[in-house]
Amino acid sequence: MITGKIDDLKLYYSVCPEFEKVYEFVKQYFENPKADGSYELIADKLNANIATYCTGAAETKQLEAHRRYADVQIVLKGAERIDWAHISDCKVELSEEFSKGGDIGFYADPEYVSSILLDAGTFVYLLPEDAHKPCVNAGADSAEVTKVVFKVKL
């Protein structure tokens, strides 16, 4: 997992070359906002999904992890919390999507999770070992968030 501000993406181009397209897309978004929806940036390699939604209580969300794609999640407006745990600490799988060939698995919370605050202009890069619970209230109340999630094929 890597987290930071949007301009920090430039520090990691050697880690993930797709970060350059991610950075360009987000900078263009702030100059000329795009509608919620899906955008293909590199065929079969990099997609962007913009969504506006309301955050919720952690108890109403589940940890998830992916095997074939990494996530780059960037909050464009508002703020949310993402809970994180290493996949090896997630002992109870709540779905059978991985065994069915899917790219997402859902897990019960382990004993301990860490939390990351994503406010406007903050990103998190999540790899297959990063179980994450997005869309959690940053404070006591639900709030509207606009976020882009980039799916990077591994």
Side-chain angles (χ1 to χ4, degrees):
M1 175 185 62
I2 299 171
T3 188
K5 295 295 184 181
I6 292 169
D7 283 338
D8 296 336
L9 285 167
K10 294 184 277 187
L11 302 172
Y12 300 105
Y13 287 175
S14 63
V15 173
C16 179
E18 292 80 7
F19 279 1
E20 190 167 358
K21 289 280 188 194
V22 167
Y23 180 78
E24 290 169 6
F25 184 93
V26 173
K27 285 298 189 182
Q28 288 173 4
Y29 176 90
F30 283 117
E31 293 171 9
N32 185 20
K34 297 181 182 316
D36 286 9
S38 295
Y39 301 86
E40 185 175 67
L41 304 180
I42 302 174
D44 298 320
K45 182 67 177 167
L46 179 64
N47 293 305
N49 301 296
I50 299 174
T52 302
Y53 54 86
C54 288
T55 60
E59 301 77 35
T60 66
K61 310 293 180 188
Q62 294 178 331
L63 283 168
E64 62 184 63
H66 310 280
R67 290 194 176 152
R68 293 191 303 266
Y69 292 88
D71 279 2
V72 182
Q73 299 193 17
I74 303 174
V75 170
L76 303 169
K77 296 178 190 169
E80 72 176 38
R81 188 180 93 206
I82 291 185
D83 290 345
W84 174 91
H86 193 275
I87 195 72
S88 65
D89 294 329
C90 299
K91 306 298 184 202
V92 180
E93 187 173 347
L94 301 175
S95 69
E96 296 182 13
E97 293 302 312
F98 282 153
S99 61
K100 294 178 183 175
D103 183 55
I104 190 167
F106 294 98
Y107 297 88
D109 286 357
E111 185 175 2
Y112 300 104
V113 298
S114 297
S115 295
I116 303 158
L117 176 67
L118 288 185
D119 57 359
T122 304
F123 79 92
V124 63
Y125 177 55
L126 300 157
L127 293 162
E129 65 270 14
D130 298 315
H132 53 285
K133 184 189 297 187
C135 311
V136 177
N137 295 342
D141 298 321
S142 177
E144 186 174 275
V145 169
T146 300
K147 181 168 72 175
V148 59
V149 177
F150 297 89
K151 303 300 264 183
V152 182
K153 190 170 187 179
L154 299 172

